[in-house]
Amino acid sequence: MIRFIQLSILIGLTASLITGCGFEPMYGHRTSTGGQSQTVAAQLSQVGIAIIPDKEGQSLRNHLIDRLYRNGYPSNPAATLNITKINEMRTELDLTKSSDATRAQLRQTSVMTLVDDKGATVLTRPLETITSFNILGSEFATRVTEEAARESGLNDLARQIELNLSLYYSSK
C-alpha cells in the first residue's frame, strides 16, 4: 500500500513538471503577439522563394515549393527566402588495387537567408548535405546513380530549410 502511494505521488509530480515545462508542439496553433492565432504551416506558406541559380537550384526551389505551399504561391509574401548557389564537390572513395574508384561522395553546400518584408535579414543558416553513390562498370549506370544521389541531397537540403524556417517561426 505504501509503495502504491509513493508511486502515485511520483507520477503526480512528474505530470506537473512536464506540463509546466513550456513544451508546445511546433506545428500546433499558437497565438502571436498581435493576438491572432497562426500556425507555422500558415507562416511558411507566406514565404516567397527567390530564384536559385543553376539546374540544381531550380530543382531545390521546386522541392521547397512542394514543401511550403499548400495553397499556391503567396501573392504578397511576408518574407523572402534567398539561397546562394549550390556548391558541389565530388570525392572518389574506396579505391581498388588498380586505382579505380568504386564509390564516390557528393557534398552539396549553400547558405539560406530569410529577409522580412522591411528588408532586414532575420535568419541566416549554412546548409550542407553529403550523399554517396556507387561507381559502376557502365558509365550510364554511374550517371544514373550520381543523379539519384544529387536529387536525394537536394531533397535533404529542402528538408533542412523547411526545418530551419519552422523552428524560426515556432519561436517567433
Side-chain angles (χ1 to χ4, degrees), residues 19-112:
T19 58
C21 73
F23 173 78
E24 58 185 62
M26 183 186 313
Y27 293 102
H29 288 278
R30 54 183 296 132
T31 305
S32 63
T33 55
Q36 61 189 15
S37 177
Q38 211 173 22
T39 64
V40 170
Q43 290 175 323
L44 289 177
S45 68
Q46 292 303 311
V47 174
I49 304 169
I51 301 296
I52 309 167
D54 293 337
K55 178 185 170 197
E56 289 81 16
Q58 291 174 358
S59 182
L60 176 60
R61 187 170 187 271
N62 288 337
H63 286 298
L64 287 170
I65 287 171
D66 291 343
R67 287 178 172 273
L68 300 183
Y69 303 141
R70 304 286 185 229
N71 300 319
Y73 195 82
S75 58
N76 190 15
T80 303
L81 179 65
N82 297 313
I83 299 170
T84 61
K85 181 179 183 282
I86 299 168
N87 297 318
E88 225 175 64
M89 188 172 74
R90 178 181 164 164
T91 307
E92 293 186 348
L93 309 168
D94 199 20
L95 298 175
T96 63
K97 288 181 182 180
S98 61
S99 297
D100 293 330
T102 60
R103 191 116 176 109
Q105 187 179 67
L106 195 63
R107 179 184 303 249
Q108 297 167 314
T109 59
S110 186
V111 176
M112 66 172 273

Side-chain angles (χ1 to χ4, degrees), residues 26-27 44 59-68 81 83 112 127-131 151-167:
M26 183 186 313
Y27 293 102
L44 289 177
S59 182
L60 176 60
R61 187 170 187 271
N62 288 337
H63 286 298
L64 287 170
I65 287 171
D66 291 343
R67 287 178 172 273
L68 300 183
L81 179 65
I83 299 170
M112 66 172 273
L127 304 167
E128 180 179 35
T129 186
I130 299 172
T131 56
E151 226 14 72
S152 176
L154 292 172
N155 196 25
D156 185 52
L157 285 176
R159 183 194 57 79
Q160 289 179 35
I161 292 168
E162 180 187 23
L163 181 62
N164 278 303
L165 290 174
S166 298
L167 290 172

